PDB file of all heavy atoms in Angstrom:
ATOM      1  N   LEU A 301     106.572  18.711  11.008  1.00  0.00           N
ATOM      2  CA  LEU A 301     105.756  17.555  11.359  1.00  0.00           C
ATOM      3  C   LEU A 301     105.935  17.211  12.836  1.00  0.00           C
ATOM      4  O   LEU A 301     106.948  17.541  13.445  1.00  0.00           O
ATOM      5  CB  LEU A 301     106.169  16.371  10.482  1.00  0.00           C
ATOM      6  CG  LEU A 301     105.827  16.500   8.994  1.00  0.00           C
ATOM      7  CD1 LEU A 301     106.541  15.423   8.189  1.00  0.00           C
ATOM      8  CD2 LEU A 301     104.318  16.416   8.779  1.00  0.00           C
ATOM      9  N   PRO A 302     104.943  16.524  13.427  1.00  0.00           N
ATOM     10  CA  PRO A 302     105.065  16.156  14.844  1.00  0.00           C
ATOM     11  C   PRO A 302     106.285  15.278  15.099  1.00  0.00           C
ATOM     12  O   PRO A 302     106.707  14.494  14.247  1.00  0.00           O
ATOM     13  CB  PRO A 302     103.769  15.390  15.115  1.00  0.00           C
ATOM     14  CG  PRO A 302     102.817  15.842  14.067  1.00  0.00           C
ATOM     15  CD  PRO A 302     103.645  16.120  12.854  1.00  0.00           C
ATOM     16  N   LYS A 303     106.844  15.418  16.299  1.00  0.00           N
ATOM     17  CA  LYS A 303     107.973  14.593  16.723  1.00  0.00           C
ATOM     18  C   LYS A 303     107.521  13.675  17.849  1.00  0.00           C
ATOM     19  O   LYS A 303     106.766  14.090  18.725  1.00  0.00           O
ATOM     20  CB  LYS A 303     109.144  15.470  17.188  1.00  0.00           C
ATOM     21  CG  LYS A 303     109.768  16.295  16.076  1.00  0.00           C
ATOM     22  CD  LYS A 303     111.051  16.973  16.514  1.00  0.00           C
ATOM     23  CE  LYS A 303     110.806  18.087  17.498  1.00  0.00           C
ATOM     24  NZ  LYS A 303     112.050  18.851  17.787  1.00  0.00           N
ATOM     25  N   ALA A 304     108.000  12.426  17.812  1.00  0.00           N
ATOM     26  CA  ALA A 304     107.607  11.436  18.808  1.00  0.00           C
ATOM     27  C   ALA A 304     108.509  11.555  20.030  1.00  0.00           C
ATOM     28  O   ALA A 304     109.646  11.076  20.025  1.00  0.00           O
ATOM     29  CB  ALA A 304     107.688  10.027  18.220  1.00  0.00           C
ATOM     30  N   ALA A 305     108.019  12.207  21.078  1.00  0.00           N
ATOM     31  CA  ALA A 305     108.791  12.349  22.307  1.00  0.00           C
ATOM     32  C   ALA A 305     108.828  11.022  23.040  1.00  0.00           C
ATOM     33  O   ALA A 305     107.807  10.352  23.212  1.00  0.00           O
ATOM     34  CB  ALA A 305     108.174  13.434  23.196  1.00  0.00           C
ATOM     35  N   ARG A 306     110.007  10.637  23.484  1.00  0.00           N
ATOM     36  CA  ARG A 306     110.171   9.392  24.244  1.00  0.00           C
ATOM     37  C   ARG A 306     109.753   9.628  25.700  1.00  0.00           C
ATOM     38  O   ARG A 306     110.271  10.525  26.355  1.00  0.00           O
ATOM     39  CB  ARG A 306     111.624   8.929  24.206  1.00  0.00           C
ATOM     40  CG  ARG A 306     112.128   8.573  22.816  1.00  0.00           C
ATOM     41  CD  ARG A 306     113.589   8.116  22.891  1.00  0.00           C
ATOM     42  NE  ARG A 306     114.116   7.762  21.600  1.00  0.00           N
ATOM     43  CZ  ARG A 306     114.020   6.548  21.044  1.00  0.00           C
ATOM     44  NH1 ARG A 306     113.396   5.586  21.724  1.00  0.00           N
ATOM     45  NH2 ARG A 306     114.531   6.290  19.862  1.00  0.00           N
ATOM     46  N   ILE A 307     108.842   8.816  26.180  1.00  0.00           N
ATOM     47  CA  ILE A 307     108.395   8.894  27.572  1.00  0.00           C
ATOM     48  C   ILE A 307     108.905   7.649  28.306  1.00  0.00           C
ATOM     49  O   ILE A 307     108.647   6.527  27.866  1.00  0.00           O
ATOM     50  CB  ILE A 307     106.861   8.974  27.674  1.00  0.00           C
ATOM     51  CG1 ILE A 307     106.333  10.136  26.819  1.00  0.00           C
ATOM     52  CG2 ILE A 307     106.436   9.117  29.124  1.00  0.00           C
ATOM     53  CD1 ILE A 307     106.834  11.502  27.218  1.00  0.00           C
ATOM     54  N   SER A 308     109.606   7.850  29.397  1.00  0.00           N
ATOM     55  CA  SER A 308     110.224   6.742  30.122  1.00  0.00           C
ATOM     56  C   SER A 308     109.300   6.196  31.208  1.00  0.00           C
ATOM     57  O   SER A 308     108.330   6.837  31.620  1.00  0.00           O
ATOM     58  CB  SER A 308     111.539   7.197  30.756  1.00  0.00           C
ATOM     59  OG  SER A 308     111.278   8.150  31.784  1.00  0.00           O
ATOM     60  N   HIS A 309     109.648   5.016  31.703  1.00  0.00           N
ATOM     61  CA  HIS A 309     108.954   4.451  32.868  1.00  0.00           C
ATOM     62  C   HIS A 309     109.083   5.394  34.057  1.00  0.00           C
ATOM     63  O   HIS A 309     108.149   5.533  34.856  1.00  0.00           O
ATOM     64  CB  HIS A 309     109.541   3.082  33.226  1.00  0.00           C
ATOM     65  CG  HIS A 309     109.220   1.999  32.246  1.00  0.00           C
ATOM     66  ND1 HIS A 309     108.046   1.280  32.302  1.00  0.00           N
ATOM     67  CD2 HIS A 309     109.901   1.523  31.175  1.00  0.00           C
ATOM     68  CE1 HIS A 309     108.026   0.383  31.323  1.00  0.00           C
ATOM     69  NE2 HIS A 309     109.137   0.517  30.622  1.00  0.00           N
ATOM     70  N   LEU A 310     110.242   6.052  34.176  1.00  0.00           N
ATOM     71  CA  LEU A 310     110.459   6.984  35.280  1.00  0.00           C
ATOM     72  C   LEU A 310     109.471   8.138  35.218  1.00  0.00           C
ATOM     73  O   LEU A 310     108.897   8.532  36.242  1.00  0.00           O
ATOM     74  CB  LEU A 310     111.898   7.510  35.237  1.00  0.00           C
ATOM     75  CG  LEU A 310     112.258   8.582  36.268  1.00  0.00           C
ATOM     76  CD1 LEU A 310     112.106   8.042  37.679  1.00  0.00           C
ATOM     77  CD2 LEU A 310     113.676   9.098  36.023  1.00  0.00           C
ATOM     78  N   LYS A 311     109.246   8.673  34.024  1.00  0.00           N
ATOM     79  CA  LYS A 311     108.328   9.803  33.905  1.00  0.00           C
ATOM     80  C   LYS A 311     106.899   9.386  34.220  1.00  0.00           C
ATOM     81  O   LYS A 311     106.145  10.141  34.855  1.00  0.00           O
ATOM     82  CB  LYS A 311     108.406  10.421  32.514  1.00  0.00           C
ATOM     83  CG  LYS A 311     107.610  11.704  32.374  1.00  0.00           C
ATOM     84  CD  LYS A 311     108.134  12.564  31.257  1.00  0.00           C
ATOM     85  CE  LYS A 311     107.510  13.946  31.280  1.00  0.00           C
ATOM     86  NZ  LYS A 311     108.179  14.880  30.357  1.00  0.00           N
ATOM     87  N   VAL A 312     106.500   8.205  33.790  1.00  0.00           N
ATOM     88  CA  VAL A 312     105.150   7.711  34.111  1.00  0.00           C
ATOM     89  C   VAL A 312     104.997   7.580  35.620  1.00  0.00           C
ATOM     90  O   VAL A 312     103.957   7.955  36.190  1.00  0.00           O
ATOM     91  CB  VAL A 312     104.880   6.373  33.406  1.00  0.00           C
ATOM     92  CG1 VAL A 312     103.561   5.767  33.879  1.00  0.00           C
ATOM     93  CG2 VAL A 312     104.848   6.569  31.884  1.00  0.00           C
ATOM     94  N   LEU A 313     106.035   7.069  36.278  1.00  0.00           N
ATOM     95  CA  LEU A 313     105.996   6.958  37.738  1.00  0.00           C
ATOM     96  C   LEU A 313     105.893   8.337  38.379  1.00  0.00           C
ATOM     97  O   LEU A 313     105.081   8.547  39.294  1.00  0.00           O
ATOM     98  CB  LEU A 313     107.241   6.232  38.242  1.00  0.00           C
ATOM     99  CG  LEU A 313     107.408   6.144  39.766  1.00  0.00           C
ATOM    100  CD1 LEU A 313     106.293   5.317  40.380  1.00  0.00           C
ATOM    101  CD2 LEU A 313     108.773   5.566  40.120  1.00  0.00           C
ATOM    102  N   GLN A 314     106.682   9.284  37.905  1.00  0.00           N
ATOM    103  CA  GLN A 314     106.652  10.632  38.469  1.00  0.00           C
ATOM    104  C   GLN A 314     105.284  11.287  38.290  1.00  0.00           C
ATOM    105  O   GLN A 314     104.814  12.014  39.172  1.00  0.00           O
ATOM    106  CB  GLN A 314     107.745  11.491  37.822  1.00  0.00           C
ATOM    107  CG  GLN A 314     109.154  11.081  38.214  1.00  0.00           C
ATOM    108  CD  GLN A 314     110.223  11.763  37.370  1.00  0.00           C
ATOM    109  OE1 GLN A 314     109.962  12.209  36.255  1.00  0.00           O
ATOM    110  NE2 GLN A 314     111.435  11.840  37.902  1.00  0.00           N
ATOM    111  N   CYS A 315     104.637  11.011  37.160  1.00  0.00           N
ATOM    112  CA  CYS A 315     103.321  11.612  36.912  1.00  0.00           C
ATOM    113  C   CYS A 315     102.251  11.056  37.842  1.00  0.00           C
ATOM    114  O   CYS A 315     101.199  11.680  38.007  1.00  0.00           O
ATOM    115  CB  CYS A 315     102.917  11.413  35.453  1.00  0.00           C
ATOM    116  SG  CYS A 315     103.861  12.459  34.293  1.00  0.00           S
ATOM    117  N   GLN A 316     102.508   9.910  38.463  1.00  0.00           N
ATOM    118  CA  GLN A 316     101.573   9.412  39.472  1.00  0.00           C
ATOM    119  C   GLN A 316     101.489  10.371  40.653  1.00  0.00           C
ATOM    120  O   GLN A 316     100.511  10.363  41.397  1.00  0.00           O
ATOM    121  CB  GLN A 316     101.996   8.024  39.958  1.00  0.00           C
ATOM    122  CG  GLN A 316     101.801   6.917  38.937  1.00  0.00           C
ATOM    123  CD  GLN A 316     102.117   5.546  39.508  1.00  0.00           C
ATOM    124  OE1 GLN A 316     101.964   5.316  40.706  1.00  0.00           O
ATOM    125  NE2 GLN A 316     102.559   4.632  38.657  1.00  0.00           N
ATOM    126  N   GLY A 317     102.499  11.189  40.825  1.00  0.00           N
ATOM    127  CA  GLY A 317     102.497  12.133  41.938  1.00  0.00           C
ATOM    128  C   GLY A 317     101.894  13.480  41.615  1.00  0.00           C
ATOM    129  O   GLY A 317     101.838  14.355  42.495  1.00  0.00           O
ATOM    130  N   PHE A 318     101.413  13.684  40.380  1.00  0.00           N
ATOM    131  CA  PHE A 318     100.949  15.008  39.965  1.00  0.00           C
ATOM    132  C   PHE A 318      99.835  15.536  40.857  1.00  0.00           C
ATOM    133  O   PHE A 318      99.922  16.647  41.399  1.00  0.00           O
ATOM    134  CB  PHE A 318     100.487  14.961  38.508  1.00  0.00           C
ATOM    135  CG  PHE A 318      99.871  16.251  38.030  1.00  0.00           C
ATOM    136  CD1 PHE A 318     100.649  17.366  37.802  1.00  0.00           C
ATOM    137  CD2 PHE A 318      98.497  16.351  37.810  1.00  0.00           C
ATOM    138  CE1 PHE A 318     100.097  18.564  37.366  1.00  0.00           C
ATOM    139  CE2 PHE A 318      97.925  17.533  37.373  1.00  0.00           C
ATOM    140  CZ  PHE A 318      98.734  18.643  37.155  1.00  0.00           C
ATOM    141  N   TYR A 319      98.775  14.753  41.030  1.00  0.00           N
ATOM    142  CA  TYR A 319      97.640  15.268  41.793  1.00  0.00           C
ATOM    143  C   TYR A 319      97.916  15.313  43.291  1.00  0.00           C
ATOM    144  O   TYR A 319      97.319  16.117  44.011  1.00  0.00           O
ATOM    145  CB  TYR A 319      96.375  14.468  41.469  1.00  0.00           C
ATOM    146  CG  TYR A 319      95.592  15.114  40.364  1.00  0.00           C
ATOM    147  CD1 TYR A 319      95.421  14.485  39.141  1.00  0.00           C
ATOM    148  CD2 TYR A 319      95.059  16.384  40.527  1.00  0.00           C
ATOM    149  CE1 TYR A 319      94.723  15.099  38.117  1.00  0.00           C
ATOM    150  CE2 TYR A 319      94.363  17.007  39.505  1.00  0.00           C
ATOM    151  CZ  TYR A 319      94.199  16.362  38.305  1.00  0.00           C
ATOM    152  OH  TYR A 319      93.520  16.988  37.291  1.00  0.00           O
ATOM    153  N   GLN A 320      98.824  14.468  43.757  1.00  0.00           N
ATOM    154  CA  GLN A 320      99.229  14.586  45.159  1.00  0.00           C
ATOM    155  C   GLN A 320      99.929  15.921  45.384  1.00  0.00           C
ATOM    156  O   GLN A 320      99.698  16.606  46.386  1.00  0.00           O
ATOM    157  CB  GLN A 320     100.149  13.429  45.552  1.00  0.00           C
ATOM    158  CG  GLN A 320     100.546  13.457  47.037  1.00  0.00           C
ATOM    159  CD  GLN A 320     101.397  12.273  47.442  1.00  0.00           C
ATOM    160  OE1 GLN A 320     101.489  11.281  46.721  1.00  0.00           O
ATOM    161  NE2 GLN A 320     102.036  12.367  48.589  1.00  0.00           N
ATOM    162  N   LEU A 321     100.786  16.328  44.441  1.00  0.00           N
ATOM    163  CA  LEU A 321     101.459  17.619  44.545  1.00  0.00           C
ATOM    164  C   LEU A 321     100.462  18.776  44.482  1.00  0.00           C
ATOM    165  O   LEU A 321     100.692  19.836  45.070  1.00  0.00           O
ATOM    166  CB  LEU A 321     102.494  17.764  43.432  1.00  0.00           C
ATOM    167  CG  LEU A 321     103.777  16.939  43.586  1.00  0.00           C
ATOM    168  CD1 LEU A 321     104.619  17.038  42.323  1.00  0.00           C
ATOM    169  CD2 LEU A 321     104.568  17.389  44.796  1.00  0.00           C
ATOM    170  N   CYS A 322      99.371  18.577  43.765  1.00  0.00           N
ATOM    171  CA  CYS A 322      98.353  19.623  43.647  1.00  0.00           C
ATOM    172  C   CYS A 322      97.448  19.711  44.865  1.00  0.00           C
ATOM    173  O   CYS A 322      96.652  20.642  44.988  1.00  0.00           O
ATOM    174  CB  CYS A 322      97.494  19.382  42.402  1.00  0.00           C
ATOM    175  SG  CYS A 322      98.399  19.554  40.849  1.00  0.00           S
ATOM    176  N   GLY A 323      97.533  18.735  45.758  1.00  0.00           N
ATOM    177  CA  GLY A 323      96.700  18.753  46.955  1.00  0.00           C
ATOM    178  C   GLY A 323      95.393  18.014  46.815  1.00  0.00           C
ATOM    179  O   GLY A 323      94.500  18.169  47.654  1.00  0.00           O
ATOM    180  N   ALA A 324      95.249  17.192  45.773  1.00  0.00           N
ATOM    181  CA  ALA A 324      94.034  16.388  45.611  1.00  0.00           C
ATOM    182  C   ALA A 324      94.164  15.106  46.428  1.00  0.00           C
ATOM    183  O   ALA A 324      95.254  14.725  46.858  1.00  0.00           O
ATOM    184  CB  ALA A 324      93.807  16.065  44.140  1.00  0.00           C
ATOM    185  N   HIS A 325      93.045  14.401  46.627  1.00  0.00           N
ATOM    186  CA  HIS A 325      93.051  13.180  47.428  1.00  0.00           C
ATOM    187  C   HIS A 325      92.125  12.145  46.803  1.00  0.00           C
ATOM    188  O   HIS A 325      91.431  12.412  45.819  1.00  0.00           O
ATOM    189  CB  HIS A 325      92.656  13.465  48.876  1.00  0.00           C
ATOM    190  CG  HIS A 325      91.386  14.246  49.013  1.00  0.00           C
ATOM    191  ND1 HIS A 325      90.145  13.693  48.808  1.00  0.00           N
ATOM    192  CD2 HIS A 325      91.177  15.555  49.325  1.00  0.00           C
ATOM    193  CE1 HIS A 325      89.210  14.610  48.990  1.00  0.00           C
ATOM    194  NE2 HIS A 325      89.810  15.756  49.309  1.00  0.00           N
ATOM    195  N   GLN A 326      92.087  10.957  47.399  1.00  0.00           N
ATOM    196  CA  GLN A 326      91.423   9.820  46.765  1.00  0.00           C
ATOM    197  C   GLN A 326      89.908   9.944  46.692  1.00  0.00           C
ATOM    198  O   GLN A 326      89.272   9.227  45.913  1.00  0.00           O
ATOM    199  CB  GLN A 326      91.802   8.530  47.477  1.00  0.00           C
ATOM    200  CG  GLN A 326      91.339   8.430  48.919  1.00  0.00           C
ATOM    201  CD  GLN A 326      91.747   7.114  49.560  1.00  0.00           C
ATOM    202  OE1 GLN A 326      92.489   6.330  48.969  1.00  0.00           O
ATOM    203  NE2 GLN A 326      91.258   6.866  50.763  1.00  0.00           N
ATOM    204  N   GLU A 327      89.304  10.818  47.460  1.00  0.00           N
ATOM    205  CA  GLU A 327      87.853  10.985  47.376  1.00  0.00           C
ATOM    206  C   GLU A 327      87.444  12.052  46.363  1.00  0.00           C
ATOM    207  O   GLU A 327      86.257  12.322  46.193  1.00  0.00           O
ATOM    208  CB  GLU A 327      87.284  11.323  48.752  1.00  0.00           C
ATOM    209  CG  GLU A 327      87.517  10.236  49.800  1.00  0.00           C
ATOM    210  CD  GLU A 327      87.042   8.863  49.331  1.00  0.00           C
ATOM    211  OE1 GLU A 327      85.962   8.787  48.718  1.00  0.00           O
ATOM    212  OE2 GLU A 327      87.755   7.876  49.573  1.00  0.00           O
ATOM    213  N   ASP A 328      88.412  12.661  45.699  1.00  0.00           N
ATOM    214  CA  ASP A 328      88.094  13.684  44.701  1.00  0.00           C
ATOM    215  C   ASP A 328      87.523  13.056  43.440  1.00  0.00           C
ATOM    216  O   ASP A 328      87.781  11.888  43.119  1.00  0.00           O
ATOM    217  CB  ASP A 328      89.345  14.498  44.344  1.00  0.00           C
ATOM    218  CG  ASP A 328      89.571  15.657  45.296  1.00  0.00           C
ATOM    219  OD1 ASP A 328      88.581  16.327  45.626  1.00  0.00           O
ATOM    220  OD2 ASP A 328      90.719  15.901  45.701  1.00  0.00           O
ATOM    221  N   VAL A 329      86.728  13.864  42.724  1.00  0.00           N
ATOM    222  CA  VAL A 329      86.205  13.493  41.411  1.00  0.00           C
ATOM    223  C   VAL A 329      86.769  14.497  40.413  1.00  0.00           C
ATOM    224  O   VAL A 329      86.500  15.699  40.512  1.00  0.00           O
ATOM    225  CB  VAL A 329      84.662  13.509  41.377  1.00  0.00           C
ATOM    226  CG1 VAL A 329      84.160  13.160  39.980  1.00  0.00           C
ATOM    227  CG2 VAL A 329      84.106  12.537  42.415  1.00  0.00           C
ATOM    228  N   ILE A 330      87.566  14.015  39.471  1.00  0.00           N
ATOM    229  CA  ILE A 330      88.323  14.869  38.549  1.00  0.00           C
ATOM    230  C   ILE A 330      87.628  14.916  37.197  1.00  0.00           C
ATOM    231  O   ILE A 330      87.301  13.868  36.625  1.00  0.00           O
ATOM    232  CB  ILE A 330      89.761  14.352  38.395  1.00  0.00           C
ATOM    233  CG1 ILE A 330      90.458  14.306  39.762  1.00  0.00           C
ATOM    234  CG2 ILE A 330      90.547  15.208  37.421  1.00  0.00           C
ATOM    235  CD1 ILE A 330      91.758  13.528  39.760  1.00  0.00           C
ATOM    236  N   TYR A 331      87.417  16.128  36.679  1.00  0.00           N
ATOM    237  CA  TYR A 331      86.773  16.318  35.375  1.00  0.00           C
ATOM    238  C   TYR A 331      87.866  16.492  34.328  1.00  0.00           C
ATOM    239  O   TYR A 331      88.669  17.432  34.392  1.00  0.00           O
ATOM    240  CB  TYR A 331      85.867  17.539  35.413  1.00  0.00           C
ATOM    241  CG  TYR A 331      84.933  17.677  34.233  1.00  0.00           C
ATOM    242  CD1 TYR A 331      83.643  17.160  34.286  1.00  0.00           C
ATOM    243  CD2 TYR A 331      85.319  18.337  33.067  1.00  0.00           C
ATOM    244  CE1 TYR A 331      82.771  17.297  33.219  1.00  0.00           C
ATOM    245  CE2 TYR A 331      84.453  18.480  31.994  1.00  0.00           C
ATOM    246  CZ  TYR A 331      83.182  17.958  32.070  1.00  0.00           C
ATOM    247  OH  TYR A 331      82.313  18.097  30.999  1.00  0.00           O
ATOM    248  N   LEU A 332      87.908  15.591  33.342  1.00  0.00           N
ATOM    249  CA  LEU A 332      88.953  15.581  32.323  1.00  0.00           C
ATOM    250  C   LEU A 332      88.324  15.588  30.940  1.00  0.00           C
ATOM    251  O   LEU A 332      87.671  14.628  30.544  1.00  0.00           O
ATOM    252  CB  LEU A 332      89.841  14.344  32.502  1.00  0.00           C
ATOM    253  CG  LEU A 332      91.048  14.216  31.589  1.00  0.00           C
ATOM    254  CD1 LEU A 332      92.054  15.334  31.853  1.00  0.00           C
ATOM    255  CD2 LEU A 332      91.710  12.854  31.760  1.00  0.00           C
ATOM    256  N   ALA A 333      88.519  16.683  30.220  1.00  0.00           N
ATOM    257  CA  ALA A 333      87.964  16.809  28.869  1.00  0.00           C
ATOM    258  C   ALA A 333      89.070  17.150  27.873  1.00  0.00           C
ATOM    259  O   ALA A 333      88.843  17.866  26.896  1.00  0.00           O
ATOM    260  CB  ALA A 333      86.875  17.884  28.840  1.00  0.00           C
ATOM    261  N   LEU A 334      90.272  16.634  28.118  1.00  0.00           N
ATOM    262  CA  LEU A 334      91.421  16.883  27.257  1.00  0.00           C
ATOM    263  C   LEU A 334      91.723  15.642  26.429  1.00  0.00           C
ATOM    264  O   LEU A 334      91.458  14.517  26.862  1.00  0.00           O
ATOM    265  CB  LEU A 334      92.644  17.247  28.103  1.00  0.00           C
ATOM    266  CG  LEU A 334      92.487  18.459  29.023  1.00  0.00           C
ATOM    267  CD1 LEU A 334      93.738  18.638  29.874  1.00  0.00           C
ATOM    268  CD2 LEU A 334      92.219  19.716  28.207  1.00  0.00           C
ATOM    269  N   PRO A 335      92.298  15.790  25.242  1.00  0.00           N
ATOM    270  CA  PRO A 335      92.649  14.613  24.428  1.00  0.00           C
ATOM    271  C   PRO A 335      93.635  13.724  25.170  1.00  0.00           C
ATOM    272  O   PRO A 335      94.593  14.208  25.778  1.00  0.00           O
ATOM    273  CB  PRO A 335      93.298  15.236  23.180  1.00  0.00           C
ATOM    274  CG  PRO A 335      92.811  16.651  23.138  1.00  0.00           C
ATOM    275  CD  PRO A 335      92.626  17.068  24.559  1.00  0.00           C
ATOM    276  N   LEU A 336      93.427  12.429  25.102  1.00  0.00           N
ATOM    277  CA  LEU A 336      94.309  11.509  25.803  1.00  0.00           C
ATOM    278  C   LEU A 336      95.636  11.312  25.084  1.00  0.00           C
ATOM    279  O   LEU A 336      96.585  10.787  25.673  1.00  0.00           O
ATOM    280  CB  LEU A 336      93.615  10.159  26.008  1.00  0.00           C
ATOM    281  CG  LEU A 336      92.421  10.178  26.968  1.00  0.00           C
ATOM    282  CD1 LEU A 336      91.839   8.775  27.121  1.00  0.00           C
ATOM    283  CD2 LEU A 336      92.810  10.739  28.328  1.00  0.00           C
ATOM    284  N   TYR A 337      95.721  11.704  23.816  1.00  0.00           N
ATOM    285  CA  TYR A 337      97.013  11.614  23.128  1.00  0.00           C
ATOM    286  C   TYR A 337      97.943  12.752  23.532  1.00  0.00           C
ATOM    287  O   TYR A 337      99.098  12.806  23.105  1.00  0.00           O
ATOM    288  CB  TYR A 337      96.836  11.600  21.605  1.00  0.00           C
ATOM    289  CG  TYR A 337      96.116  12.798  21.040  1.00  0.00           C
ATOM    290  CD1 TYR A 337      96.741  14.031  20.919  1.00  0.00           C
ATOM    291  CD2 TYR A 337      94.809  12.683  20.601  1.00  0.00           C
ATOM    292  CE1 TYR A 337      96.077  15.126  20.391  1.00  0.00           C
ATOM    293  CE2 TYR A 337      94.133  13.773  20.072  1.00  0.00           C
ATOM    294  CZ  TYR A 337      94.774  14.984  19.968  1.00  0.00           C
ATOM    295  OH  TYR A 337      94.112  16.082  19.450  1.00  0.00           O
ATOM    296  N   HIS A 338      97.457  13.648  24.352  1.00  0.00           N
ATOM    297  CA  HIS A 338      98.246  14.764  24.856  1.00  0.00           C
ATOM    298  C   HIS A 338      98.712  14.430  26.267  1.00  0.00           C
ATOM    299  O   HIS A 338      97.997  13.778  27.035  1.00  0.00           O
ATOM    300  CB  HIS A 338      97.377  16.027  24.861  1.00  0.00           C
ATOM    301  CG  HIS A 338      98.123  17.285  25.141  1.00  0.00           C
ATOM    302  ND1 HIS A 338      98.298  17.771  26.414  1.00  0.00           N
ATOM    303  CD2 HIS A 338      98.735  18.168  24.321  1.00  0.00           C
ATOM    304  CE1 HIS A 338      98.980  18.908  26.363  1.00  0.00           C
ATOM    305  NE2 HIS A 338      99.263  19.161  25.105  1.00  0.00           N
ATOM    306  N   MET A 339      99.905  14.879  26.646  1.00  0.00           N
ATOM    307  CA  MET A 339     100.438  14.562  27.967  1.00  0.00           C
ATOM    308  C   MET A 339      99.515  15.029  29.085  1.00  0.00           C
ATOM    309  O   MET A 339      99.346  14.334  30.093  1.00  0.00           O
ATOM    310  CB  MET A 339     101.816  15.197  28.135  1.00  0.00           C
ATOM    311  CG  MET A 339     102.390  15.005  29.528  1.00  0.00           C
ATOM    312  SD  MET A 339     103.953  15.838  29.770  1.00  0.00           S
ATOM    313  CE  MET A 339     104.152  15.650  31.541  1.00  0.00           C
ATOM    314  N   SER A 340      98.905  16.201  28.926  1.00  0.00           N
ATOM    315  CA  SER A 340      98.038  16.712  29.980  1.00  0.00           C
ATOM    316  C   SER A 340      96.892  15.763  30.271  1.00  0.00           C
ATOM    317  O   SER A 340      96.520  15.554  31.430  1.00  0.00           O
ATOM    318  CB  SER A 340      97.484  18.094  29.588  1.00  0.00           C
ATOM    319  OG  SER A 340      98.519  19.037  29.510  1.00  0.00           O
ATOM    320  N   GLY A 341      96.312  15.176  29.224  1.00  0.00           N
ATOM    321  CA  GLY A 341      95.191  14.275  29.419  1.00  0.00           C
ATOM    322  C   GLY A 341      95.604  12.915  29.934  1.00  0.00           C
ATOM    323  O   GLY A 341      95.005  12.384  30.886  1.00  0.00           O
TER     324      GLY A 341
END
Side-chain angles (χ1 to χ4, degrees):
L301 292 168
K303 294 189 290 187
R306 297 180 180 273
I307 306 299
S308 67
H309 289 275
L310 176 62
K311 187 156 190 170
V312 173
L313 175 64
Q314 291 169 337
C315 287
Q316 289 185 29
F318 175 72
Y319 267 115
Q320 183 177 345
L321 286 172
C322 294
H325 51 75
Q326 64 180 7
E327 298 307 319
D328 274 317
V329 178
I330 302 167
Y331 192 93
L332 184 65
L334 302 176
L336 293 182
Y337 58 75
H338 190 270
M339 175 184 170
S340 295

